[in-house]
Amino acid sequence: MIGVFDSGLGGLTVLRVLIERFKAADFVYLADHAHVPYGNRPSEDIIGYTRDCVEDLFDRGAKLVLLGCNTATAVALRRLQQEWLPKSRWAGTHNVLGIVAPTVEGATQTPWAVTSPQYPQKYNTDTIGVFGTTRTVSSGVYPEEISKRCPKVIVVQQICSELAGAIEEKRPEAELEHLVRLGVSGLLDGTNGMPPHRAILGCTHFPLVEHLFRKHLPPFTRILSQPEVVSDSFEDYLARKPHYLNGNESGKLTLLTTGDPSDVSEKARVFWPDVPAFARA
Ligand code: DGL
């Protein structure tokens, strides 16, 4: 069984691609609606909430948990992997992964394990735009990891502090478009009006309004599909470590929330019409 975690509904963008790829695997998705949005919270809170949710998913039988959330990955993953997991009762048998590494791999066309520029990446002078929450952008993880592999690439970041919350609250399209337009023009100002060659929607909620980013970004800008690159990398990981799946899985999907299941199920239907019902975690 594979666990997928997000502060709210955004991780479903990743989950939906994963369940298509791994039809026979069991998935359990946990959304922390009691605390969503994470993006403007203090780091210690994000680490604590993420750890609690990973523990819950392990307790339910997931041996591998994917943080389907950029904020949790940027802020909490390293602490969980390096300090918490090795001392926990799951050490050696369970693992937790994030979504920043595969996104950086996709954006730089460089495997994560390669941490210095390779030909032709070292001559790459593209501009990459990153849209994210306050905490993801302030962590600096995207510019740091991209520049290790592509030092001449210019990374321009833009905080979209209210967008994930507005998507969760199912605010009207016009309001969401206003927030996206503000974010895009803020980013373009940071590039002196030059369109970025590529854009990372570095919050799993943002693909839910990708059409609005597409509308306001210059046509020249290619939007990297985070759910796709994350799923490619996850597929590769599981091919190397199949023991994280039990032999007897049957394609079962369980959706859980720490919030109100009927409210969450209703909101999820907006972008996933036949989404199964959420239950309380
Ligand atoms: N979907 C999450 C992300 O990828 C978090 C959004 C939030 O809770 O602020 O960053």
Side-chain angles (χ1 to χ4, degrees), residues 173-194:
E173 179 87 352
E175 238 180 275
L176 299 177
E177 181 162 2
H178 172 69
L179 292 173
V180 170
R181 199 172 41 229
L182 278 181
V184 170
S185 61
L187 185 117
L188 292 179
D189 286 349
T191 57
N192 294 326
M194 288 287 292

Short mmCIF file of all heavy atoms in Angstrom, two decimals, residues 173-194:
data_model
loop_
_atom_site.label_atom_id
_atom_site.label_comp_id
_atom_site.label_asym_id
_atom_site.label_seq_id
_atom_site.Cartn_x
_atom_site.Cartn_y
_atom_site.Cartn_z
N GLU A 173 -14.36 31.35 -9.86
CA GLU A 173 -13.30 31.34 -10.89
C GLU A 173 -12.68 32.73 -11.07
O GLU A 173 -11.46 32.86 -11.22
CB GLU A 173 -13.95 30.84 -12.20
CG GLU A 173 -13.04 30.77 -13.40
CD GLU A 173 -12.28 29.43 -13.51
OE1 GLU A 173 -12.33 28.60 -12.57
OE2 GLU A 173 -11.64 29.26 -14.56
N ALA A 174 -13.52 33.78 -11.04
CA ALA A 174 -12.99 35.14 -11.28
C ALA A 174 -11.98 35.51 -10.20
O ALA A 174 -10.98 36.17 -10.47
CB ALA A 174 -14.13 36.14 -11.31
N GLU A 175 -12.25 35.07 -8.97
CA GLU A 175 -11.32 35.38 -7.87
C GLU A 175 -10.01 34.62 -8.03
O GLU A 175 -8.93 35.15 -7.81
CB GLU A 175 -11.98 34.97 -6.55
CG GLU A 175 -12.12 36.12 -5.58
CD GLU A 175 -12.76 35.63 -4.31
OE1 GLU A 175 -14.02 35.60 -4.28
OE2 GLU A 175 -12.05 35.29 -3.37
N LEU A 176 -10.16 33.35 -8.43
CA LEU A 176 -8.95 32.54 -8.65
C LEU A 176 -8.13 33.14 -9.79
O LEU A 176 -6.90 33.25 -9.71
CB LEU A 176 -9.34 31.09 -8.99
CG LEU A 176 -10.13 30.34 -7.91
CD1 LEU A 176 -10.51 28.95 -8.39
CD2 LEU A 176 -9.31 30.21 -6.63
N GLU A 177 -8.83 33.58 -10.84
CA GLU A 177 -8.12 34.16 -11.98
C GLU A 177 -7.40 35.44 -11.57
O GLU A 177 -6.26 35.69 -11.99
CB GLU A 177 -9.10 34.44 -13.14
CG GLU A 177 -8.36 35.02 -14.33
CD GLU A 177 -9.13 34.92 -15.64
OE1 GLU A 177 -10.29 34.43 -15.66
OE2 GLU A 177 -8.56 35.35 -16.67
N HIS A 178 -8.02 36.21 -10.70
CA HIS A 178 -7.38 37.44 -10.23
C HIS A 178 -6.07 37.09 -9.50
O HIS A 178 -5.03 37.72 -9.74
CB HIS A 178 -8.36 38.17 -9.30
CG HIS A 178 -7.75 39.34 -8.60
ND1 HIS A 178 -7.38 40.48 -9.27
CD2 HIS A 178 -7.41 39.53 -7.30
CE1 HIS A 178 -6.85 41.33 -8.41
NE2 HIS A 178 -6.84 40.78 -7.20
N LEU A 179 -6.12 36.06 -8.64
CA LEU A 179 -4.91 35.68 -7.89
C LEU A 179 -3.83 35.15 -8.83
O LEU A 179 -2.64 35.45 -8.67
CB LEU A 179 -5.26 34.63 -6.83
CG LEU A 179 -6.14 35.12 -5.68
CD1 LEU A 179 -6.57 33.96 -4.79
CD2 LEU A 179 -5.42 36.18 -4.85
N VAL A 180 -4.23 34.37 -9.83
CA VAL A 180 -3.25 33.84 -10.79
C VAL A 180 -2.65 35.00 -11.59
O VAL A 180 -1.43 35.07 -11.78
CB VAL A 180 -3.91 32.80 -11.74
CG1 VAL A 180 -2.97 32.44 -12.89
CG2 VAL A 180 -4.30 31.55 -10.96
N ARG A 181 -3.50 35.93 -12.02
CA ARG A 181 -2.99 37.06 -12.82
C ARG A 181 -1.97 37.87 -12.03
O ARG A 181 -0.93 38.27 -12.52
CB ARG A 181 -4.16 37.93 -13.26
CG ARG A 181 -3.80 38.83 -14.46
CD ARG A 181 -4.98 39.56 -15.03
NE ARG A 181 -5.84 40.07 -13.99
CZ ARG A 181 -7.16 39.91 -13.96
NH1 ARG A 181 -7.78 39.28 -14.91
NH2 ARG A 181 -7.88 40.41 -12.97
N LEU A 182 -2.29 38.09 -10.73
CA LEU A 182 -1.35 38.82 -9.86
C LEU A 182 -0.01 38.08 -9.77
O LEU A 182 1.05 38.69 -9.87
CB LEU A 182 -1.90 38.94 -8.43
CG LEU A 182 -2.91 40.03 -8.14
CD1 LEU A 182 -3.29 39.97 -6.67
CD2 LEU A 182 -2.31 41.39 -8.49
N GLY A 183 -0.10 36.77 -9.58
CA GLY A 183 1.12 35.96 -9.47
C GLY A 183 1.94 36.01 -10.74
O GLY A 183 3.15 36.23 -10.72
N VAL A 184 1.26 35.86 -11.89
CA VAL A 184 2.00 35.85 -13.16
C VAL A 184 2.63 37.21 -13.41
O VAL A 184 3.79 37.31 -13.80
CB VAL A 184 1.06 35.44 -14.33
CG1 VAL A 184 1.74 35.67 -15.67
CG2 VAL A 184 0.66 33.97 -14.19
N SER A 185 1.88 38.30 -13.14
CA SER A 185 2.51 39.60 -13.44
C SER A 185 3.64 39.87 -12.46
O SER A 185 4.66 40.46 -12.84
CB SER A 185 1.48 40.73 -13.51
OG SER A 185 0.84 40.84 -12.28
N GLY A 186 3.52 39.40 -11.21
CA GLY A 186 4.63 39.55 -10.25
C GLY A 186 5.87 38.82 -10.77
O GLY A 186 6.99 39.34 -10.72
N LEU A 187 5.67 37.63 -11.29
CA LEU A 187 6.81 36.86 -11.79
C LEU A 187 7.42 37.53 -13.02
O LEU A 187 8.64 37.66 -13.14
CB LEU A 187 6.38 35.43 -12.13
CG LEU A 187 7.56 34.56 -12.54
CD1 LEU A 187 7.75 33.40 -11.57
CD2 LEU A 187 7.41 34.01 -13.94
N LEU A 188 6.56 38.00 -13.93
CA LEU A 188 7.09 38.64 -15.14
C LEU A 188 7.84 39.92 -14.80
O LEU A 188 8.84 40.25 -15.43
CB LEU A 188 5.96 38.90 -16.15
CG LEU A 188 5.33 37.65 -16.77
CD1 LEU A 188 4.21 38.03 -17.72
CD2 LEU A 188 6.36 36.79 -17.48
N ASP A 189 7.39 40.63 -13.76
CA ASP A 189 8.13 41.83 -13.32
C ASP A 189 9.54 41.43 -12.89
O ASP A 189 10.50 42.13 -13.16
CB ASP A 189 7.44 42.50 -12.13
CG ASP A 189 6.19 43.25 -12.57
OD1 ASP A 189 6.01 43.41 -13.80
OD2 ASP A 189 5.40 43.65 -11.69
N GLY A 190 9.62 40.28 -12.20
CA GLY A 190 10.93 39.80 -11.72
C GLY A 190 11.85 39.35 -12.83
O GLY A 190 13.05 39.21 -12.63
N THR A 191 11.29 39.11 -14.02
CA THR A 191 12.15 38.71 -15.15
C THR A 191 12.28 39.88 -16.13
O THR A 191 12.60 39.67 -17.31
CB THR A 191 11.55 37.51 -15.92
OG1 THR A 191 10.25 37.89 -16.35
CG2 THR A 191 11.48 36.26 -15.11
N ASN A 192 11.97 41.10 -15.65
CA ASN A 192 11.99 42.29 -16.51
C ASN A 192 11.11 42.10 -17.73
O ASN A 192 11.46 42.51 -18.84
CB ASN A 192 13.41 42.64 -16.95
CG ASN A 192 14.25 43.06 -15.77
OD1 ASN A 192 13.72 43.68 -14.84
ND2 ASN A 192 15.52 42.71 -15.78
N GLY A 193 9.99 41.45 -17.52
CA GLY A 193 9.04 41.28 -18.62
C GLY A 193 9.41 40.20 -19.61
O GLY A 193 8.67 39.92 -20.54
N MET A 194 10.57 39.57 -19.43
CA MET A 194 10.98 38.50 -20.35
C MET A 194 10.23 37.22 -19.95
O MET A 194 10.25 36.85 -18.79
CB MET A 194 12.47 38.21 -20.18
CG MET A 194 13.37 39.30 -20.74
SD MET A 194 13.35 39.27 -22.53
CE MET A 194 14.19 37.72 -22.83
#
